[in-house]
Amino acid sequence: MARRTDPGPARRTAPDPTRRAGPGSADRVAPAGARTASPLGLVVLLVALLAGLVVSIGVAVTVGPADIPVSTVWSVVADRLGLPHAEVPPLREHIVWRLRLPRVLGAAAVGGGLAAVGAVMQTVTRNPLADPYLLGVSSGASLGAVAVLVLGFGGGVAALTGGAFAGALAAFAVVAAVAGRRAALAPTRVVLAGVAVAQLCGAATSFVIIWVADPHATQSITFWLSGSLARVDWAALAWAAPVLAAVLALVAAYARTLNAFAFGEDAAATLGVPVTRVRWLLLVATALLTAALVAVSGAVGFVGLILPHAARFLTGADHRRLLPVVVLAGAIFLVWVDTAARTLFAPRELPVGVLTALLGVPAFVVLLHRRKVRG
């Protein structure tokens, strides 16, 4: 009689490889109570979100101290595209093309990018509270921007953005050096290294601000650290857009692999996923995208933490469904939050990070309560 052998803990817990790529495999790791959209429902949801994003951008450009109708916005855009259009006064064209449209598009790019990075980070680190700033990238960007201002390299958009991007990459390099000593990169080690580097960069930033004691520089730095899209122009978008497109394409290509990560490292390795290499690749890619977005907008919190959880309740945990939905939802969310930040208390403008925190903290409390109820 043939003797049956114990397949071992890893094989007992690994999912069926033949079902790994299917939507059903990812649904098994969906949060309790999460709904999974049918294929038709997903298409309807994506079309609705895409239409909502286009309408949001068009309407948000019209909102502000100067009353500008949607038809004027379309005429300005059509003029740039070489399409038939009505004549628009130069002042209104300047407001639409130079001021509002790049800012609204920047809000959409930052919101969608941060939401996608948050979804990937929560899966790769297996930490539902992970967000794009977990690796100390935001604090490094802040320190880089402050260094540019203090060292006299100029306060222009290009200098500030370049300094922030360099600081973010330097911070992530330190995190990688601290966390990557072992062959198998542990998520806990990465998180702890990120927290330590963030604290170090935050302390250095505070020290520099106090040491300089320049009221004007301090006000500018503080506003930027709280998150603001007021500096976004076409040059800043040209800086961030290629990075955003490349990283979104990369994470979309690894959507099935992210589903395998949701089962745990052992299960992913059993399914043939090179866990350490893929984790490093995705961490580096998301850190680059976060650095590019922070360099444009400053630190805008809670978008990458809350939006992925909200999207999972619509799509389930399958990243092939989750990623496009969370990108569109994040873009729409930040377009309207930034619109509110610049108009609610006009002529004063609130840092957009303040409003995302005011909205994100209650949502975070609800999220914790739901997890507590589920046990």
Side-chain angles (χ1 to χ4, degrees):
M1 177 181 296
R3 184 178 180 181
R4 299 181 61 183
T5 59
D6 187 354
R11 298 192 60 182
R12 283 199 303 267
T13 58
D16 184 357
T18 62
R19 301 183 61 187
R20 175 171 64 101
S25 62
D27 296 342
R28 285 181 294 169
V29 297
R35 293 177 295 176
T36 301
S38 64
L40 179 59
L42 179 64
V43 171
V44 172
L45 178 61
L46 290 175
V47 171
L49 287 173
L50 186 58
L53 177 59
V54 173
V55 172
S56 296
I57 291 174
V59 174
V61 174
T62 69
V63 179
D67 186 18
I68 296 178
V70 176
S71 59
T72 299
V73 177
W74 168 248
S75 295
V76 172
V77 175
D79 181 24
R80 298 289 176 168
L81 297 178
L83 301 175
H85 62 279
E87 290 298 324
V88 177
L91 178 58
R92 289 196 169 190
E93 180 182 12
H94 178 82
I95 292 174
V96 172
W97 189 255
R98 297 293 180 187
L99 300 179
R100 293 187 187 174
L101 187 56
R103 175 168 182 161
V104 173
L105 292 177
V110 172
L114 290 179
V117 170
V120 174
M121 291 288 296
Q122 289 167 9
T123 300
V124 171
T125 63
R126 294 184 58 78
N127 184 346
L129 302 182
D131 72 355
Y133 305 134
L134 190 67
L135 302 180
V137 173
S138 174
S139 300
S142 302
L143 181 58
V146 170
V148 166
L149 290 172
V150 171
L151 296 178
F153 292 125
V157 175
L160 200 61
T161 303
F165 190 71
L169 294 183
F172 180 72
V174 175
V175 172
V178 174
R181 293 179 178 178
R182 297 190 307 174
L185 184 63
T188 303
R189 194 179 178 90
V190 176
V191 171
L192 292 177
V195 170
V197 171
Q199 292 296 322
L200 178 62
C201 292
T205 302
S206 300
F207 175 79
V208 171
I209 292 175
I210 295 173
W211 182 265
V212 173
D214 181 346
H216 297 290
T218 300
Q219 183 179 9
S220 176
I221 292 169
T222 302
F223 193 79
W224 187 81
L225 294 179
S226 300
S228 173
L229 292 152
R231 292 173 175 265
V232 177
D233 58 9
W234 291 111
L237 287 179
W239 171 285
V243 182
L244 175 65
V247 174
L248 289 183
L250 177 68
V251 297
Y254 277 87
R256 291 172 182 263
T257 305
L258 287 169
N259 289 344
F261 267 92
F263 292 111
E265 292 184 11
D266 293 338
T270 303
L271 293 170
V273 175
V275 173
T276 301
R277 182 175 66 81
V278 172
R279 177 173 289 148
W280 266 114
L281 176 64
L282 293 176
L283 286 177
V284 170
T286 52
L288 285 174
L289 178 54
T290 305
L293 298 178
V294 172
V296 169
S297 65
V300 182
F302 287 97
V303 176
L305 174 62
I306 301 300
L307 267 297
H309 291 288
R312 287 190 186 96
F313 283 105
L314 297 175
T315 66
D318 188 338
H319 288 79
R320 294 170 298 174
R321 300 167 178 237
L322 172 65
L323 289 174
V325 170
V326 79
V327 168
L328 293 173
I332 295 172
F333 173 78
L334 200 58
V335 164
W336 285 112
V337 171
D338 179 61
T339 302
R342 62 184 169 83
T343 56
L344 279 180
F345 300 98
R348 291 185 176 182
E349 180 174 324
L350 290 176
V352 68
V354 172
L355 280 186
T356 57
L358 290 176
L359 296 172
V361 169
F364 184 75
V365 172
V366 172
L367 172 66
L368 289 179
H369 177 71
R370 292 178 67 94
R371 286 186 170 274
K372 182 179 179 181
V373 169
R374 291 172 191 156

